């Protein structure tokens, strides 16, 4: 098991856990880019959105429900937040285990575009 996020789920690498259920584990990002920056990951090792299968629908649904729950728990639901899932090289994905960034706690910049 070489995946750092699998090791975080297993408790082999420490993390600041925010939420956990049967499908999902969520923890604070080690290098936050917003006042609230949580990573929501599936417990099943799925590398990226490109690797999702029909049978993963329940997992994906639960990732979104976890995002909603965490946003309310952390008090950012009403003002709003951003969910970001990077995929592959052009998407800027660094860790090959699907993760949803939950970003909030401030008005966030829109800086998506091609690298110059
Ligand atoms: P990506 O660029 O793949 O969308 O995002 C990967 C994220 O994982 C980055 O925001 C990075 O800071 C975070 N990250 C990488 N390694 C660790 C770690 O060991 N612990 C935590 N909490 N976050 C990590």
């Amino acid at each position: 098991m070489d995946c750092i996020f699998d090791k975080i789920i297993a408790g082999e690498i420490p993390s600041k856990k925010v939420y956990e259920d049967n499908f999902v584990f969520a923890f604070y990002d080690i290098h936050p880019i917003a006042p609230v920056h949580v990573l929501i990951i599936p417990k099943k090792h799925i590398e990226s959105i490109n690797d999702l299968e029909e049978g993963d629908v329940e997992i994906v649904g639960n990732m979104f429900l976890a995002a909603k729950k965490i946003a309310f728990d952390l008090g950012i639901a009403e003002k709003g937040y951003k969910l970001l899932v990077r995929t592959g090289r052009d998407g800027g994905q660094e860790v090959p285990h699907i993760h949803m960034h939950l970003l909030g706690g401030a008005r966030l910049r829109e800086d998506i575009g091609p690298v110059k």
Side-chain angles (χ1 to χ4, degrees), residues 21-88:
D21 63 29
N22 288 339
F23 297 97
V24 166
F25 192 89
F27 54 102
Y28 285 104
D29 196 292
I30 202 165
H31 295 127
I33 58 167
V36 174
H37 187 172
V38 172
L39 297 174
I40 300 164
I41 67 177
K43 286 189 168 173
K44 177 182 173 186
H45 181 83
I46 305 170
E47 273 200 30
S48 82
I49 288 184
N50 289 343
D51 302 292
L52 281 174
E53 297 167 354
E54 295 274 328
D56 296 324
V57 161
E58 197 175 15
I59 293 172
V60 175
N62 276 282
M63 288 175 69
F64 276 89
L65 286 176
K68 172 189 165 184
K69 185 176 188 328
I70 295 163
F72 275 98
D73 286 351
L74 298 181
I76 61 168
E78 204 163 304
K79 282 195 169 171
Y81 49 91
K82 186 184 291 195
L83 299 176
L84 172 67
V85 184
R86 297 191 171 106
T87 302

Side-chain angles (χ1 to χ4, degrees), residues 4-5 8 13-15 27-31 37 39 86 92-95 99 101:
I4 55 170
F5 285 178
I8 283 175
I13 293 176
S15 71
F27 54 102
Y28 285 104
D29 196 292
I30 202 165
H31 295 127
H37 187 172
L39 297 174
R86 297 191 171 106
Q93 182 178 6
E94 287 177 0
V95 179
H99 46 284
H101 297 256

